[in-house]
Amino acid sequence: MKLLTGFFSVLSAAVVGLGCGSGASGASDGAEGEGASSGGTFGGEGGSLDIGGGIGPGSSGVGGASPTGGGGACATQTAAASIQPVYLAFAFDVSGSMGKGDEDWHDKSLKWDPVVAATKQFFSDPGSEGLTASLSFFPADDDKCSVEIYATPDVPLTPLPSAAFTEAIDAIEPARSDDWRGGTPTAWVMRGTSKFIEAQRRQNPGKYAIVLVTDGYPQGCDEASDTIDAVVADAQAALAEGVPTYVIGVENPPIEGAPDTLDDLHEIAAAGGTEGAVLIDTGDPSQTTAAFKAAVDRIRGASVSCTMAIPLPPDGSAFDKEKVRVLYTSGSSATTELVYDQSCAIEGAWRYDEPASPTQIVLCADACTTVQADMVAKLSVDFTCESVIEVPL
């Protein structure tokens, strides 16, 4: 799954400011002056740029303050920055409808086998390096209608690639038809997964998302609490805490009499802030496997941000939107300056979120794809003393 290369990799980035600082010396050769910060801070405040979502502690947003002293010389200052780590909590449906064979459309070879093959490949592929994931099976073997049973996943948060997920799936795969589990306690696994994430965020801050993989509507528990409406409310509650929910729905094969069990899953995805569920056709195992891979890739693309909040220029100098460069370096290779193009019509470009009053730098689609796929990528933002770009009004 080479499309997943660099998914959620931690990018090391730097913000290099050339501001008009106070008390600076050696401006002609770019040496740091007395006003320069050290240890990755701006003006000694300890702030850092968070590519994944905003300005870190010690920063207060885009500048507007005037220089703090005389001299007017330029001095280089640097602050370290990194993208937020992103964690995916998978909730995976292992109910009998995925392959028990009690109905023609519960064909294991058409549903369980191709979906599991793609799932195993995703978790074990070297291209998934940089991603951390957990995996919970539902329904649970015991006490399936319980929040607590799903608050501890079958595979805890584990850096990928890892064989632990394949081992867990192999261990749970039913050997006989009678071994398949019954019921689809979706509301309970959603609540348990949210509880798990809440605890993990205290230990491992970052960006979290739920990935729900299922082939049907909630059922098998208290009818008043295990419904689509209940799961929609759970997804809304998770989103309110900054945790989106992605839904991958596994269709029944195109067999006469097979019911439609997925339409309402779109409501869950919409409530979770991800527009709609990704529905996977079954009937042709190779196509099912490819479709599942594509669904995970869509989640990757939607989850990783290529947006950088604009930090305060060093030494309290005023931010000038036309005195900015964005640079990209891959490992030890030469540094490339990304082109500013507000329309994103030029290859390898970046733009402002709002050109009239920008607060963020956004990599355009092809530049974003390149950076996300580069395990050793480094980004830098230069604040220059002279105008280097022209921003449309």
Side-chain angles (χ1 to χ4, degrees), residues 87 123-124 128-134 155-165:
Y87 305 94
F123 286 126
S124 62
S128 294
E129 184 176 357
L131 170 64
T132 299
S134 65
V155 180
L157 284 176
T158 303
L160 299 184
S162 171
F165 297 88

Side-chain angles (χ1 to χ4, degrees), residues 146-167:
S146 163
V147 171
E148 294 301 326
I149 200 73
Y150 303 110
T152 302
D154 295 274
V155 180
L157 284 176
T158 303
L160 299 184
S162 171
F165 297 88
T166 293
E167 293 169 2

Side-chain angles (χ1 to χ4, degrees), residues 12 41 51 96 140 152 166 192 207 211 235 264-265 281 324 342 358 364 388:
S12 173
T41 65
I51 300 175
T152 302
T166 293
K207 205 174 169 186
V211 182
D264 288 350
L265 297 184
D281 291 332
V324 172
Q342 193 62 37
C364 297
V388 291

Side-chain angles (χ1 to χ4, degrees), residues 190-191 193-195 197-198 201 208-210 230-246 268 271-273:
M190 283 288 293
R191 295 166 199 163
T193 302
S194 292
K195 186 172 183 179
I197 289 174
E198 181 182 359
R201 289 173 87 174
Y208 286 78
I210 298 170
V231 180
V232 164
D234 295 333
Q236 289 173 332
L239 184 62
E241 296 298 321
V243 180
T245 298
Y246 297 93
I268 300 172

Side-chain angles (χ1 to χ4, degrees), residues 295-359:
V296 175
D297 189 55
R298 171 178 165 180
I299 292 171
R300 175 198 62 81
S303 299
V304 179
S305 172
C306 278
T307 300
M308 296 180 285
I310 303 173
L312 278 170
D315 295 330
S317 57
F319 168 72
D320 188 328
K321 62 185 179 183
E322 296 194 338
K323 297 181 179 180
V324 172
R325 289 195 190 98
V326 178
L327 308 175
Y328 161 60
T329 306
S330 178
S332 59
S333 65
T335 296
T336 301
E337 180 178 348
L338 301 181
V339 180
Y340 169 75
D341 179 19
Q342 193 62 37
S343 66
C344 281
I346 300 175
E347 186 176 351
W350 64 276
R351 65 176 177 84
Y352 283 123
D353 57 336
E354 295 290 343
S357 182
T359 60

